[in-house]
Amino acid sequence: MTTTAVNPYLDGNFAPISAEITAENLQVIGELPPELSGMFVRNGPNPQYSPIGQYHWFDGDGMLHGVRISGGKAVYRNRYVQTQKWETEHEAGKAVLTGLLEPPQTDAPPISRNTANTALVWHGGQLLAVWEAGAPHTIQVPELKTIGEHTYNGKLVSPFTAHPKVDPITGEMVFFGYSFTPPYLQYGIVSATGELLFTVPIEIPEPVMMHDFAITEDYTIFMDLPLTFNPARIQQGKPMIMFECDRPSRFGILPRHGDNSKIQWFESPACYVFHTLNAYQQGDEVVLIACRMSSTSVLGVNGVDDPDGNIPRLHQWRFNLKTGAVSESRLDDTAGEFPRVNENFLGRQTRYGYVNKSAPTPVPLFDGVIKYDFDHGTSQIREFGQGRYGGESIFAPRPHATAEDDGWLMTFVHDETANTSELLVMNAQDITGEPVARVLIPQRVPYGFHAAWVTEKQLQGF
């Protein structure tokens, strides 16, 4: 008897949904505060058709799930990001492009592989759905309708990160893009009004997967980590993409408006970081806080036998710009990912940070959220409950708040037993207390990637 292994990312609550719906007057357990007004939107992979060959979670077409909250009521809608890939396959009625785990496709049509499935950012008066290596897509809110690729009037000629950073004071959006061919890294800034100001190359020795970065008030921090791309390895029977444990991690610190001639590099032991929580300046030092893992096999390969690999834990690095010294310390033994702060303080020292607590499961699931108090070196954990797993927790500030943590934490939670999904709204100042509200979603919300809170003012165009 033969059994076919089921891809875990096409099964259970990772499995895609096909219906795009709009549902009004959602049932709310608890009460949505009248001053909580805006839209929670989450991005994630949702393949439109059965994949060709092996499927990697990163391959799926982008689908947005949004909950519009106003006047104590909530409306849910979900929509595909209608990329060129989505449109081509929709017209064909089947998958056309293969994914990350398949060999290079010789018969692929000449279309972009951009799925716009990773994250979201509000900038220049619009919501952008972003991906690892392609142009952002403009999304109309609250309808979640795809307007199209946004190339800054044709000025965007480099890849564009899934994690751009918006400075809350200047309004600038800082971005980078990495590539398998030179230049391996490019860096750019978009003005507060949405004009692409410049893109410059940054020299790194070889192509690497660089998923995230960080900003401070004056600096940009790049992470040249040893998850490398090397086609020559294929001839040696090795994977093209591999984590090299004997290669150090390099952190480049650049004045925000500087170029490659102004960058200062620091080295520390080999590691991988998917997501940064925040960074800030303190005297002569730049401090970076991020979820660090000792190695990764995210793309199916790992050049080292590492029992601690793929386990992210919150770490802090301190880079002394005067002496060149580097120190690295672990802030918590608890595994967690998808770190966030109150983005009104991004790039400045924050007292609080929020990280989703990793569940001890073979696939990446989160069974709770951790609130860190960095001033006191303490943390609190809110567990989601037996068989309940959540996604990235987003901070929504209370209007006119004076305290950094005065607001709400929000995330989608799925109950594996009941097969139901909800938007969980927590008081960020009391995350272990009773939830403020549980907004019940009338269809399953698959596990996904990153989310954003769009404020009422942004929705109204102010």
Side-chain angles (χ1 to χ4, degrees):
M1 177 180 168
T2 59
T3 57
T4 305
V6 176
N7 186 318
Y9 297 107
L10 295 171
D11 193 38
N13 195 47
F14 286 98
I17 57 172
S18 57
E20 295 177 302
I21 69 167
T22 301
E24 300 185 356
N25 293 316
L26 301 181
Q27 184 182 345
V28 178
I29 298 171
E31 190 175 339
L32 289 166
E35 65 271 41
L36 177 60
S37 196
M39 191 171 189
F40 176 89
V41 189
R42 202 219 62 207
N43 204 345
N46 194 94
Q48 185 181 189
Y49 297 108
S50 295
I52 302 168
Q54 300 178 83
Y55 173 76
H56 191 284
W57 196 25
F58 294 173
D59 291 337
D61 298 292
M63 179 177 274
L64 306 177
H65 298 262
V67 179
R68 170 77 165 103
I69 297 171
S70 179
K73 297 188 181 302
V75 176
Y76 164 82
R77 53 173 57 81
N78 67 302
R79 299 289 186 272
Y80 274 108
V81 185
Q82 295 188 4
T83 61
Q84 185 184 36
K85 174 186 179 295
W86 183 91
E87 288 177 339
T88 301
E89 295 187 332
H90 192 70
E91 198 172 303
K94 63 178 182 179
V96 171
L97 296 180
T98 56
L100 284 168
L101 300 179
E102 288 293 305
Q105 199 172 0
T106 54
D107 60 345
I111 60 169
S112 168
R113 291 179 174 268
N114 186 348
T115 53
N117 71 3
T118 311
L120 296 150
V121 63
W122 181 274
H123 189 254
Q126 57 191 0
L127 184 65
L128 301 172
V130 284
W131 185 60
E132 190 84 346
H137 282 71
T138 306
I139 305 297
Q140 182 177 311
V141 284
E143 297 84 2
L144 300 184
K145 178 185 174 185
T146 304
I147 304 301
E149 277 199 349
H150 188 62
T151 62
Y152 298 93
N153 295 318
K155 287 186 179 179
L156 181 65
V157 293
S158 71
F160 192 96
T161 175
H163 292 289
K165 308 298 179 190
V166 178
D167 186 305
I169 307 301
T170 68
E172 292 173 314
M173 180 166 67
V174 186
F175 72 93
F176 72 91
Y178 70 87
S179 172
F180 304 161
T181 56
Y184 301 134
L185 176 62
Q186 295 186 73
Y187 168 61
I189 293 181
V190 179
S191 74
T193 55
E195 181 191 355
L196 203 163
L197 300 177
F198 68 82
T199 307
V200 294
I202 302 293
E203 290 177 19
I204 56 175
E206 60 185 318
V208 296
M209 182 177 177
M210 192 181 296
H211 184 65
D212 201 358
F213 72 135
I215 62 167
T216 70
E217 193 172 349
D218 299 311
Y219 296 98
T220 299
I221 305 164
F222 299 110
M223 299 184 293
D224 176 14
L225 307 177
L227 184 58
T228 62
F229 299 94
N230 186 347
R233 279 198 290 252
I234 297 173
Q235 275 73 50
Q236 303 162 18
K238 295 178 181 176
M240 184 180 78
I241 305 166
M242 198 164 75
F243 184 85
E244 298 187 53
C245 60
D246 54 353
R247 182 182 179 277
S249 295
R250 300 172 71 239
F251 296 83
I253 300 181
L254 175 73
R256 183 178 298 175
H257 289 268
D259 57 21
N260 187 67
S261 67
K262 301 287 195 297
I263 199 163
Q264 186 174 352
W265 288 100
F266 298 80
E267 287 192 3
S268 69
C271 70
Y272 197 73
V273 171
F274 276 105
H275 301 110
T276 63
L277 181 135
N278 198 18
Y280 57 90
Q281 294 156 228
Q282 198 171 64
D284 293 336
E285 293 185 317
V286 167
V287 181
L288 171 67
I289 301 176
C291 294
R292 175 197 189 276
M293 48 183 71
S294 54
S295 64
T296 180
S297 57
V298 66
L299 296 177
V301 291
N302 192 339
V304 57
D305 180 17
D306 180 5
D308 219 26
N310 300 309
I311 301 176
R313 297 182 176 93
L314 205 62
H315 279 64
Q316 175 182 275
W317 290 259
R318 304 184 79 95
F319 307 101
N320 192 305
L321 299 178
K322 288 279 179 69
T323 67
V326 186
S327 66
E328 178 187 304
S329 56
R330 184 189 287 189
L331 299 181
D332 195 2
D333 290 336
T334 305
E337 252 292 4
F338 286 12
R340 299 296 291 241
V341 293
N342 176 344
E343 293 194 2
N344 288 335
F345 297 87
L346 190 74
R348 281 78 184 164
Q349 185 170 0
T350 60
R351 177 174 174 179
Y352 301 106
Y354 310 94
V355 176
N356 275 61
K357 178 176 169 284
S358 299
T361 50
V363 289
L365 294 174
F366 301 120
D367 57 13
V369 61
I370 310 167
K371 177 185 180 181
Y372 290 96
D373 182 333
F374 298 117
D375 285 4
H376 292 98
T378 58
S379 63
Q380 292 177 297
I381 298 177
R382 178 185 190 85
E383 305 279 357
F384 294 139
Q386 183 70 33
R388 289 165 56 87
Y389 300 103
E392 184 171 54
S393 299
I394 298 299
F395 183 87
R398 187 188 304 273
H400 314 298
T402 53
E404 181 194 319
D405 65 342
D406 187 7
W408 300 272
L409 276 185
M410 286 183 243
T411 185
F412 282 128
V413 171
H414 183 73
D415 188 313
E416 297 270 0
T417 306
N419 197 27
T420 56
S421 298
E422 65 190 57
L423 178 68
L424 180 67
V425 182
M426 300 162 273
N427 177 354
Q429 294 183 318
D430 181 23
I431 68 160
T432 58
E434 277 297 303
V436 173
R438 295 169 55 202
V439 181
L440 306 188
I441 309 297
Q443 73 174 357
R444 183 172 64 80
V445 178
Y447 299 126
F449 296 145
H450 301 286
W453 172 249
V454 184
T455 66
E456 187 66 29
K457 279 188 173 181
Q458 290 167 339
L459 285 171
Q460 301 301 336
F462 296 124

